[in-house]
Amino acid sequence: MKIVVLDGNTTNPGDLDWGFLTQFGECTIYDRTPRVLTVERAKDAEIVVTNKVVLDREVLEQLPKLQFIELLSTGYNVIDCDCARERGIPVSNIPAYSTDAVAQLVFAFILEFCNHVSVHNEAVKSGEWTNCPDFCFWKTGLTELGGKALGIIGFGRIGQRVSEIASAFGMRVLAYTPHPKHLDMGPGFSWASLDEVITESDFITLHCPLTPQTEHMVNGNFLQKMKPSAYLINTSRGPVVDEAALAQALNTGALAGAGVDVLSTEPPKADNPLLTAKNCLITPHIAWAGFETRGRLLQICKDNMEAFCAGTPIHVVNP
Ligand code: NAD
């Protein structure tokens, strides 16, 4: 088997070990692959491993030897799964490896909006406490999470973990997912319509995949219906949010703040309106990037490769 890893650098910048790949065949690992080189690098491979290098129809049709696509991510929007299915190529993703880590970042954003740790740290370091006439001061309103409503859109693995943590903070959870099923999520939890989530939540967090149905789900209309005191958190995929509409809502005070880990184009263009929007916290797609998290990712990648080589692929997203 010839195996090509197209963009290994973000998954393993050198602190983990790709050695396991050699048990499946001859392996070439590229740190990054620009689109113009994708076909050239992948054309002889039976297995292509990708995180964010796009394998759309145009590319897949030029890879006659390809038998298996191994993703290094949960989201699979970079692959034309229909085209892969037509060509008999299973696509396996890495489910669940980052559930805890993504849920943790959601609360890093939420807690920053409630406690403003970095704002206060900067104020203290710049001398404001030293020169303060009182024993304490605060720069912004401080808020408790208990009793606040957290709207969760997409109630899969990450949505459910976020719900568990929210309930430990005493929050009320309103969850929306297209096909709700019975789940025992404890007190404070209820299913809600999308409209109820939008209008009643103090925080909304997105945990749906990027699909044609969810692209720009958060648009001007959605944002207009949110409470002006509410916050939006997006750790799912950038295009789920209409960024121009979100920037406008933030800049006009129609929304209190947003925390986003993902943008429509990554890395973002310099003129992305969220880079300069008011009260918009942005992290560079790091929810999944903890050391332990990436270690778990590589272990599942190994399991997926073993299963494919044994003729029984697992975690297939295009059955
Ligand atoms: P999951 O498949 O377990 O859950 C997704 C949920 O979204 C499912 O319950 C599904 O029914 C629901 N859904 C589908 N269409 C919907 C719609 N139109 N409206 C509302 N809900 C809808 O996936 P997960 O493990 O919870 O991950 C969710 C997403 O998080 C992934 O698709 C990925 O894009 C993103 N993610 C981001 C990072 C990061 O580093 N920022 C890491 C991992 C995953």
Side-chain angles (χ1 to χ4, degrees):
M1 288 273 187
K2 277 211 163 102
I3 304 163
V4 170
V5 180
L6 290 173
D7 54 343
N9 185 62
T10 49
T11 305
N12 177 10
D15 52 357
L16 295 167
D17 187 4
W18 287 117
F20 69 90
L21 283 175
T22 55
Q23 79 188 69
F24 305 108
E26 182 194 320
C27 183
T28 310
I29 299 168
Y30 296 101
D31 280 351
R32 308 170 179 85
T33 296
R35 181 159 177 94
V36 286
L37 292 180
T38 306
V39 171
E40 186 183 318
R41 289 181 175 180
K43 69 179 187 308
D44 293 325
E46 279 98 15
I47 299 179
V48 168
V49 181
T50 175
N51 190 330
K52 294 289 173 285
V53 173
V54 172
L55 300 180
D56 55 17
R57 186 172 289 272
E58 188 192 339
V59 170
L60 289 172
E61 285 179 345
Q62 297 179 74
L63 306 179
K65 297 190 180 161
L66 187 58
Q67 294 177 23
F68 180 51
I69 298 171
E70 172 58 35
L71 278 159
L72 295 170
S73 62
T74 307
Y76 43 89
N77 49 291
V78 298
I79 311 293
D80 185 331
C81 285
D82 293 334
C83 177
R85 187 186 311 107
E86 284 163 26
R87 302 175 73 84
I89 302 166
V91 178
S92 290
N93 77 339
I94 312 276
Y97 76 102
S98 61
T99 303
D100 287 344
V102 179
Q104 184 176 317
L105 183 65
V106 170
F107 282 91
F109 282 128
I110 291 178
L111 292 171
E112 186 61 32
F113 286 127
C114 293
N115 297 89
H116 303 278
V117 170
S118 51
V119 170
H120 289 97
N121 175 57
E122 277 165 30
V124 168
K125 301 290 166 61
S126 71
E128 285 192 47
W129 201 9
T130 312
N131 298 318
C132 179
D134 300 312
F135 80 95
C136 75
F137 73 100
W138 52 93
K139 305 280 295 173
T140 58
L142 303 169
T143 319
E144 281 188 7
L145 283 182
K148 297 286 187 307
L150 176 67
I152 302 180
I153 296 179
F155 208 67
R157 297 178 193 88
I158 299 171
Q160 289 173 43
R161 185 73 188 114
V162 167
S163 179
E164 287 166 358
I165 299 171
S167 104
F169 275 110
M171 299 182 84
R172 293 184 294 118
V173 171
L174 300 171
Y176 168 75
T177 210
H179 307 291
K181 51 185 181 206
H182 177 72
L183 286 172
D184 184 10
M185 297 304 300
F189 174 85
S190 54
W191 290 114
S193 67
L194 184 57
D195 237 48
E196 286 166 336
V197 168
I198 298 172
T199 56
E200 293 176 26
S201 299
D202 299 301
F203 298 87
I204 293 180
T205 181
L206 306 174
H207 299 296
C208 49
L210 173 61
T211 64
Q213 290 74 39
T214 62
E215 185 167 0
H216 282 199
M217 172 196 263
V218 179
N219 54 20
N221 184 37
F222 181 116
L223 293 160
Q224 215 170 26
K225 289 194 266 176
M226 285 178 72
K227 293 181 186 178
S229 56
Y231 296 87
L232 177 79
I233 313 295
N234 185 15
T235 57
S236 65
R237 285 289 180 265
V240 176
V241 173
D242 176 343
E243 291 171 341
L246 176 58
Q248 195 188 359
L250 292 167
N251 291 333
T252 58
L255 194 67
V260 300
D261 185 48
V262 284
L263 289 172
S264 55
T265 306
E266 295 172 350
K269 300 209 175 83
D271 64 354
N272 185 305
L274 292 182
L275 294 175
T276 49
K278 220 168 127 189
N279 291 332
C280 189
L281 301 175
I282 306 177
T283 49
H285 203 146
I286 54 167
W288 68 288
F291 176 73
E292 301 86 345
T293 324
R294 289 181 292 106
R296 210 174 296 122
L297 187 165
L298 286 195
Q299 179 56 50
I300 300 171
C301 171
K302 181 172 179 236
D303 297 344
N304 286 353
M305 302 278 278
E306 268 168 5
F308 170 74
C309 291
T312 50
I314 55 172
H315 304 141
V316 175
V317 294
N318 65 336

